[in-house]
Amino acid sequence: MAALGAGRAVAAGLLRAQSLGAWRGLRVPTATLQQNPQAKSQSAKPEGTFQVTMLPGDGVGPELMHAVKEVFKAASVPVVFDEHHLSEVQNMASEEKLDQVVDSMKESKVALIGKIHTPMEYKGELASYDMRLRRKLDLFANVVHVKSLPGYKTRHNNLDLVIIREQTEGEYSSLEHESAKGVIECLKIITRAKSQRIAKFAFDFATKKGRSKVTAVHKANIMKLGDGLFLQCCEEVAELYPKIKFETMIIDNCCMQLVQNPYQFDVLVMPNLYGNIIDNLAAGLVGGAGVVPGESYSAEYAVFEMGARHPFAQAVGRNIANPTAMLLSAANMLRHLNLEFHSNLISDAVKKVIKVGKVRTADMGGYATSLDFTQAVIAALEA
Amino acid sequence: RTSLDLFANVIHCQSLRGVETRHRGVDILLVRENTEGEYSSLEHEVGPAPPVTPVTPVTHWEPPPTPLSPPNPTGHDHQWEGDGLFLQCCREVAAEYPEITFQNMIVDNTTMQLVSRPQQFDVMVMPNLYGNIVSNVCAGLVGGPGLVPGANYGHDYAVFETATRNTGKSIANRNVANPTAALLAACMMLDHLRLHSHASMIRQAVLASLDDPRTHTPDIGGQGTTSGAVQSILAHL
């Protein structure tokens, strides 16, 4: 194990000195060096590549995945995608498909997914396929790192906060019924176990990334038992981490503070619905859904996706979607797979293109198409 | 609020001329359901099995598809396709007002749009919790809790207050609170009582006094005091 680690360090040193072209030649002989200790034996294909499950999803998902694949090809990333097309709106969803995806995940452990859209019609099933997938894989923690992109000015610059959202219970428990005519009841479930789990995840994350403060967001003044329990669990876990400052804030005040003074926040942890809203709000502060990557974790799996999840169906076929978020998310995925070199290569290229500012998609105020942006990123890889 | 059946909370968030904010030209009227939804205060603790008895009644809000769907053109049949109950009711009522454009938007996308382009919104209607969140976001956009007045209407009663309902206990007794929100709420009350001339007189004075940054209280970036702001308003009357 130590020898392998040392070998990897040597390879890393070698790689930094070499150009991209030389790295292409190096890939095959150094296959053993890529099989890091953390990779499961099944995921290492003969050439030393990793398998990653890919779910393009709906809307602009397939276009963004195409951008990712192009960039990966240009950067010679040793990743093979196992694609599955799960889609409720395109009638490509069923229990078997869901099981296929879960089986694929069991092998790859890592996935890159687009938004699996939930249609408006109530067809007898309250839980969407998206929610069912997350519950099956037990992806309890959604992490969105909201960071201002260098060179892209928004109304709030130099923002750096992390939003951690409990993703499997809360308001999304899909338990609703009509108790009397014209009266619907919807159950918001908060459990001690899941609240403690997400709180512990938040504090562990803060410790690992060297963050100093965790703020729990709630509405316990109104939902005294539900959010009260969540808050209680956060407080209990906070006592185990004396080095990290713990604060609480009510959701309405939190939203106002995010709009007026977002710099006061560091790490935020909250139940499902508030997380959904705050993810989107914070994404809006740094440039919108097109620039913020996100990830979801369970004890065994890691899923990489967009921070603010929207299918953006109006953009399908018009080549205007911004690939930034998906590319940055793919780079995060590579870091998770310990492919540090490739991860930095891609994220540096994306950030360089944005910083230079000549090629920007419409949502960032530019005129470029998605393909233009992807080409620009590929060009930046060479440099 | 429930015993007086103040079912509608109305707040008007407007960019004020004298107050500098990151967003300009914001003019949003927010209508929030005030008596049911997530605030129904029906909670209990159950065993590990999922409960079958109702817990927290919340008005049904199934996320609609892509945002900014085009408004229902007149002459179309109602679209019942299993919308959330709230959305369904909104559509029904909207059909009776063909001259007013009706759109719907998921609340997560709404908050994102509010921080990037709030000028696209005109009137917004929503259930209780989303109303709470969105009203705070809008108040933040125009300058904070010290500037926005709110009104609560029922069939028999009307109650006027500051829009974001903060107690402000951290700044109590320090003479730094911003009187604008409360004064504008009082103007809304005078309008309600049909004392329009008095209402406009006070409102003009409040807005004129905001043009002078020397009287701004700390929440809008100044160093003035509450009494200073009030004196300035009295001078403008």
Side-chain angles (χ1 to χ4, degrees):
Chain A
M1 191 100 117
L4 204 57
R8 266 177 55 224
V10 165
L14 263 175
L15 298 172
R16 270 184 216 109
Q18 307 252 345
S19 70
L20 184 60
W23 168 236
R24 280 202 183 106
L26 270 178
R27 184 159 55 90
V28 173
T30 54
T32 46
L33 286 168
Q34 290 170 23
Q35 274 178 340
N36 59 76
Q38 283 92 341
K40 302 280 178 263
S41 52
Q42 307 101 298
S43 64
K45 296 282 183 320
E47 305 87 45
T49 54
F50 291 92
Q51 181 186 296
V52 168
T53 308
M54 178 187 268
L55 288 170
D58 300 309
V60 293
E63 294 175 21
L64 300 177
M65 292 301 174
H66 177 75
V68 170
K69 284 194 270 196
E70 291 292 300
V71 172
F72 272 30
K73 206 160 60 178
S76 310
V77 176
V79 160
V80 140
F81 287 114
D82 179 23
E83 281 188 46
H84 289 268
H85 293 269
L86 183 70
S87 167
E88 219 168 325
V89 287
Q90 295 171 53
N91 292 319
M92 284 199 280
S94 61
E95 227 19 77
E96 300 87 54
K97 265 217 166 317
L98 204 58
D99 288 331
Q100 276 173 16
V101 172
V102 175
D103 289 333
S104 168
M105 277 298 285
K106 285 202 177 103
E107 216 190 286
S108 23
K109 303 288 180 189
V110 173
L112 187 65
I113 70 176
K115 163 82 180 169
I116 300 167
H117 186 52
T118 305
M120 196 61 200
E121 300 89 32
Y122 172 41
K123 287 185 184 142
E125 183 64 59
L126 280 172
S128 61
Y129 275 90
D130 190 45
M131 266 317 283
R132 299 220 309 248
L133 182 65
R134 283 173 209 279
R135 285 213 199 103
K136 272 209 153 134
L137 298 172
D138 197 27
L139 296 169
F140 67 93
N142 179 234
V143 178
V144 174
H145 187 179
V146 177
K147 199 157 181 214
S148 291
L149 291 167
Y152 178 43
K153 286 215 174 310
T154 54
R155 290 189 185 90
H156 306 267
N157 293 307
N158 298 321
L159 211 52
D160 189 352
L161 46 103
V162 179
I163 299 160
I164 296 179
R165 161 191 179 189
E166 205 294 326
Q167 219 179 194
T168 51
E169 60 169 14
E171 300 81 349
Y172 288 47
S173 305
S174 311
L175 289 166
E176 297 178 275
H177 64 220
E178 187 163 7
S179 59
K181 184 123 180 38
V183 178
I184 305 276
E185 283 170 347
C186 170
L187 304 185
K188 167 177 167 163
I189 313 287
I190 301 273
T191 53
R192 178 174 287 280
K194 290 193 176 175
S195 302
Q196 277 178 336
R197 187 168 63 162
I198 194 69
K200 183 139 204 315
F201 181 93
F203 279 92
D204 282 340
F205 185 92
T207 311
K208 185 171 170 197
K209 304 279 174 175
R211 298 259 169 182
S212 47
K213 185 165 83 165
V214 172
T215 308
V217 179
H218 64 96
K219 188 83 190 160
N221 52 341
I222 298 293
M223 286 174 264
K224 297 185 164 74
L225 298 186
D227 283 352
L229 177 61
F230 180 81
L231 207 55
Q232 204 182 34
C233 295
C234 289
E235 279 163 355
E236 286 167 22
V237 173
E239 282 167 26
L240 304 172
Y241 296 82
K243 291 212 183 89
I244 297 185
K245 190 155 177 277
F246 175 66
E247 269 183 7
T248 64
M249 197 179 272
I250 304 189
I251 174 80
D252 55 9
N253 190 24
C254 181
C255 287
M256 177 146 57
Q257 298 299 326
L258 273 168
V259 171
Q260 295 196 291
N261 181 20
Y263 302 99
Q264 61 186 289
F265 296 108
D266 195 357
V267 177
L268 293 129
V269 62
M270 59 200 84
N272 215 333
L273 181 65
Y274 310 145
N276 177 228
I277 293 174
I278 303 264
D279 277 348
N280 279 261
L281 206 162
L285 296 176
V286 295
V291 302
V292 183
E295 46 239 33
S296 295
Y297 295 105
S298 80
E300 301 151 24
Y301 309 109
V303 169
F304 295 85
E305 51 189 351
M306 313 272 279
R309 309 197 280 246
H310 300 278
F312 198 18
Q314 310 96 305
V316 174
R318 285 167 59 193
N319 202 8
I320 55 172
N322 191 343
T324 305
M326 199 53 92
L327 287 169
L328 288 175
S329 195
N332 290 340
M333 177 189 79
L334 294 175
R335 188 167 298 118
H336 180 84
L337 291 170
N338 282 315
L339 293 169
E340 281 285 342
F341 172 74
H342 294 99
S343 169
N344 289 334
L345 192 66
I346 294 177
S347 61
D348 287 345
V350 172
K351 289 188 182 143
K352 189 157 125 191
V353 172
I354 291 176
K355 191 159 187 193
V356 165
K358 291 210 189 98
V359 184
R360 281 192 187 169
T361 44
D363 62 317
M364 291 175 81
Y367 302 97
T369 61
S370 317
L371 281 174
D372 288 341
F373 189 88
T374 314
Q375 292 305 321
V377 171
I378 292 173
L381 285 172
E382 313 286 324
Chain B
R1 291 175 211 277
T2 46
S3 30
L4 296 176
D5 195 28
L6 299 168
F7 63 90
N9 178 233
V10 179
I11 79 167
H12 188 190
C13 290
Q14 223 179 1
S15 293
L16 298 174
R17 197 178 53 211
V19 180
E20 236 191 75
T21 50
R22 289 186 181 92
H23 302 265
R24 304 302 313 162
V26 179
D27 189 352
I28 301 175
L29 196 74
L30 235 142
V31 180
R32 160 190 177 186
E33 207 295 328
N34 220 3
T35 54
E36 62 167 17
E38 298 81 353
Y39 288 49
S40 305
S41 311
L42 289 168
E43 299 177 275
H44 68 222
E45 185 169 353
V46 290
V52 286
T53 48
V55 185
T56 311
V58 166
T59 44
H60 187 111
W61 182 258
E62 247 181 4
T66 52
L68 292 179
S69 46
N72 283 347
T74 51
H76 252 231
D77 273 348
H78 298 172
Q79 286 161 2
W80 300 126
E81 340 115 80
D83 279 342
L85 182 61
F86 181 82
L87 197 55
Q88 213 176 42
C89 297
C90 288
R91 281 197 212 274
E92 283 171 42
V93 175
E96 296 167 27
Y97 296 84
E99 67 279 1
I100 298 184
T101 311
F102 174 66
Q103 289 174 339
N104 67 70
M105 197 183 272
I106 310 185
V107 63
D108 57 8
N109 191 24
T110 306
T111 45
M112 180 150 53
Q113 298 296 324
L114 276 170
V115 297
S116 25
R117 206 167 50 93
Q119 298 81 3
Q120 63 184 289
F121 296 105
D122 191 2
V123 178
M124 302 168 80
V125 61
M126 62 203 83
N128 216 331
L129 181 67
Y130 306 140
N132 180 227
I133 292 172
V134 173
S135 62
N136 275 264
V137 173
C138 291
L141 293 175
V142 301
L147 296 175
V148 189
N152 300 276
Y153 299 107
H155 291 293
D156 304 315
Y157 308 103
V159 173
F160 300 87
E161 57 180 352
T162 58
T164 45
R165 306 177 183 171
N166 302 88
T167 51
K169 45 182 197 284
S170 56
I171 54 167
N173 298 320
R174 282 166 44 192
N175 199 15
V176 293
N178 194 337
T180 310
L183 284 168
L184 290 175
C187 293
M188 286 176 83
M189 179 190 75
L190 292 174
D191 272 325
H192 183 80
L193 294 169
R194 299 188 213 249
L195 295 167
H196 295 298
S197 55
H198 292 93
S200 338
M201 195 163 67
I202 299 179
R203 194 175 287 126
Q204 309 277 32
V206 170
L207 294 178
S209 117
L210 275 177
D211 281 341
D212 181 6
R214 284 172 303 177
T215 54
H216 284 185
T217 43
D219 63 307
I220 45 177
Q223 292 177 351
T225 57
T226 313
S227 35
V230 172
Q231 288 304 319
S232 161
I233 294 169
L234 288 171
H236 277 99
L237 273 174

